[in-house]
Amino acid sequence: MVDINFFPPEKDDIVNAAHRIAPYIRRTPVLTCDDINERYNTELFFKCENFQQAGSFKSRGACNNLLQLTPEERQRGVCTHSSGNHAAALARAAKLFGTKAFIVMPQNSEKVKIEAVRNYGGKIFFCEPILEAREAALQQIQQQTGAIEIHPYNNLRTITGQATACKELIEQCDDNLDLIIAPVGGGGLLSGTALSARYFGNNIRVIAGEPEGADDAAQSFYSGKLIPVRQPNTIADGLRTSLGSYTFPIIANYVYDIYPVSEEAIVAAMKRIFDKMKIVVEPSAAVALAVVMENVSKFIGKKTGIILSGGNIEVRRMAEILGG
Amino acid sequence: MVDINFFPPEKDDIVNAAHRIAPYIRRTPVLTCDDINERYNTELFFKCENFQQAGSFKSRGACNNLLQLTPEERQRGVCTHSSGNHAAALARAAKLFGTKAFIVMPQNSEKVKIEAVRNYGGKIFFCEPILEAREAALQQIQQQTGAIEIHPYNNLRTITGQATACKELIEQCDDNLDLIIAPVGGGGLLSGTALSARYFGNNIRVIAGEPEGADDAAQSFYSGKLIPVRQPNTIADGLRTSLGSYTFPIIANYVYDIYPVSEEAIVAAMKRIFDKMKIVVEPSAAVALAVVMENVSKFIGKKTGIILSGGNIEVRRMAEILGG
């Protein structure tokens, strides 16, 4: 049993966040695919956050944070360290709401994600791709600029914002889902999903998908202790981070189970989504479908929401991954 | 002035076709993209027939045809020549309605389209990629099997089926469009679109997009005479065919204008759709957006429906095209 020694977002917080961010994000569509449903004898409902502003669900948390800054905070600017999607979402939100974004990015971030941050006018600082270097660089920026840190996941306003995706999904499926699967990296999306399923759904079980090569969430979940990831090894570049002090307790209490998925299954899921659904998802977003593909029997006859978290990938990189 | 010496599909025919095929096709979503709208100072509504069954609008015409076969005709099977999407749609429909599909395909058809026909159980006969060879092979099959020819575009039931896409688009946009752009190859989609815009829309102008390297429709449109395409040269593999005796008169009378687009614009439109909308379209489907990109001033402040005709393309081929 993991204790929650803080006040997690309540139902009203998520409802308020949904209203707050509505003008600045998209109510993304929910798509279905007969080919995939027939193949696995199941019913899947894909929440297309790959169509979200700035290409991922991260725009929800970023907007929810920036809309609650005081004028004085807005004056100082915002900062974060992120390998990509949160960085782009924060840079976009900063531009939208008239503040500055200072972003620490690991040198090995995907090129398309670096360009997205630049295009939104974010100021980038590169660092070594390890957590210590990211944190040190961020601290330096904060000291120099006084910018407010907006954490990519271990922040209650971030979690509350991400929770709005699941709220929409449940509404769009007329609260008719048995299960919802979300990918887990730092756990912002997953913890928000678990809260929304609890508040807005009727007995919906939330399952996480996690790459085998970065299975800190599963280890933490089963041991009841927050275990950081060491040397993550996965193409799912958005899922290489560890759970945080806010996300872990929420996940430990409200998520039903965490399934590891192989790299092969992630690639196969990306390919199936491209070929059969004709939509573009990044590797991290394919993880939820990979869970179904590797555990078919568990989903037979069930109605399952699948959160496609983002679509920021270049076509060349995609061809490399799918061609291999 | 081009005379129409046959009875074109009427409003009721299209309404009936929509009901007839509804259980077997998808009411595909209409997506919008803020990035693209802001860039061109316009409002575009993308009708996603790339999400259609068998990956293109061709499933509409194929189902509309096969559902009207007599039991005796169904017994004999159906045949066609097609470079791909109609072939796959016909093979799928044949399987669905318990008949056989014999398909003549040019040797240079896209591999993914050949595989789709095979997967649906269609029997393929390859031929030289010229119209004479296609027609000769088809005639031979008809003689051997007695199969009914289902023409990919020059067939009133095909046209009526394709017309249902535009009917849906108008409904989904609450009849609030100024313009609709469709690509033109043989003209099945375009003539159906023109009819539906007339019957179901309020003063909607229908514009066609056509690759410069296969501009027979524009030549026919402006000269008032059906001019077949010679040596088409375009990556838009679905648009290398000529107009037919049914499609040309409908287009000549009811289409507002035909815009040629460069190969560069087709590639740029595909890339923009991939990067900004996160969806997969084949080159032929990108032609309608290419029209906007090459004629920006004509669409400023307008509401325009864009028919994305299909999404059958391999990721490797896409990377080749977009990487070049």
Side-chain angles (χ1 to χ4, degrees), chain B residues 19-176:
Chain B
H19 285 294
R20 185 181 297 123
I21 67 178
Y24 310 104
I25 61 126
R26 315 195 74 192
R27 188 175 174 91
T28 55
V30 173
L31 298 181
T32 60
C33 178
D34 297 347
D35 270 316
I36 295 177
N37 284 347
E38 282 163 25
R39 184 170 186 126
Y40 301 115
N41 197 7
T42 191
E43 276 185 88
L44 305 182
F45 299 86
F46 294 88
K47 176 66 172 166
C48 290
E49 289 292 297
N50 53 329
F51 298 166
Q52 189 49 269
Q53 299 289 10
S56 86
F57 72 91
K58 296 280 191 179
S59 279
R60 297 175 182 272
C63 287
N64 192 44
N65 265 292
L66 265 63
L67 284 162
Q68 294 178 83
L69 292 180
T70 65
E72 185 266 334
E73 287 172 328
R74 199 170 294 191
Q75 185 69 31
R76 284 155 63 189
V78 293
C79 64
T80 196
H81 60 81
S82 160
S83 63
N85 284 341
H86 174 64
L90 196 67
R92 171 183 172 270
K95 190 178 175 190
L96 210 55
F97 306 127
T99 184
K100 291 180 294 281
F102 305 96
I103 316 276
V104 176
M105 295 188 84
Q107 288 150 352
N108 65 348
S109 302
E110 295 283 341
K111 210 179 97 195
V112 65
K113 298 188 176 180
I114 296 170
E115 277 168 16
V117 175
R118 282 220 181 92
N119 287 342
Y120 289 120
K123 192 158 166 48
I124 302 175
F125 303 83
F126 289 105
C127 72
E128 296 290 315
I130 51 169
L131 186 62
E132 290 75 14
R134 288 164 68 147
E135 287 178 345
L138 187 67
Q139 208 178 4
Q140 206 182 349
I141 288 166
Q142 280 184 284
Q143 283 167 358
Q144 285 171 6
T145 64
I148 310 296
E149 184 188 357
I150 308 292
H151 198 279
Y153 52 87
N154 205 42
N155 168 315
L156 293 176
R157 289 176 178 174
T158 303
I159 293 169
T160 307
Q162 320 308 30
T164 62
C166 175
K167 175 176 179 289
E168 285 178 18
L169 170 61
I170 292 168
E171 291 164 2
Q172 289 166 307
C173 294
D174 301 320
D175 190 12
N176 202 13

Side-chain angles (χ1 to χ4, degrees), chain A residues 243-305:
Chain A
L243 297 183
S245 57
Y246 290 123
T247 56
F248 171 55
I250 297 174
I251 289 167
N253 281 279
Y254 302 130
V255 166
Y256 181 72
D257 208 348
I258 299 183
Y259 286 52
V261 296
S262 66
E263 295 294 294
E264 293 70 31
I266 298 173
V267 172
M270 272 181 87
K271 184 164 165 52
R272 189 133 301 146
I273 290 168
F274 186 98
D275 287 345
K276 298 298 180 191
M277 299 185 67
K278 312 295 182 188
I279 64 175
V280 179
V281 297
E282 56 185 277
S284 305
V287 164
L289 178 60
V291 168
V292 176
M293 290 168 66
E294 287 199 323
N295 302 276
V296 172
S297 65
K298 294 210 165 72
F299 298 93
I300 290 175
K302 298 275 202 314
K303 291 181 203 295
T304 304

Side-chain angles (χ1 to χ4, degrees), chain B residues 183 209-214 233-237 239 259-274 281-291 293-294 313 318 321-322:
Chain B
E210 186 176 41
E212 284 172 1
N233 183 14
T234 172
I235 52 164
D237 59 293
L239 308 181
Y259 287 51
V261 296
S262 67
E263 294 295 293
E264 293 70 30
I266 297 173
V267 172
M270 272 181 87
K271 184 164 166 51
R272 189 134 299 147
I273 290 169
F274 186 98
V281 297
E282 56 185 278
S284 305
V287 164
L289 178 60
V291 168
M293 290 168 66
E294 287 198 324
I313 184 165
M318 192 158 206
I321 291 174
L322 299 191

Side-chain angles (χ1 to χ4, degrees), chain B residues 237-259:
Chain B
D237 59 293
L239 308 181
R240 293 175 190 148
T241 43
S242 305
L243 296 183
S245 56
Y246 290 122
T247 57
F248 171 55
I250 296 174
I251 289 167
N253 281 279
Y254 301 128
V255 166
Y256 181 72
D257 207 348
I258 299 182
Y259 287 51

Side-chain angles (χ1 to χ4, degrees), chain A residues 121-138:
Chain A
K123 190 156 167 50
I124 302 175
F125 303 84
F126 289 105
C127 72
E128 296 289 315
I130 52 169
L131 186 62
E132 291 75 14
R134 288 163 66 149
E135 286 178 346
L138 188 66

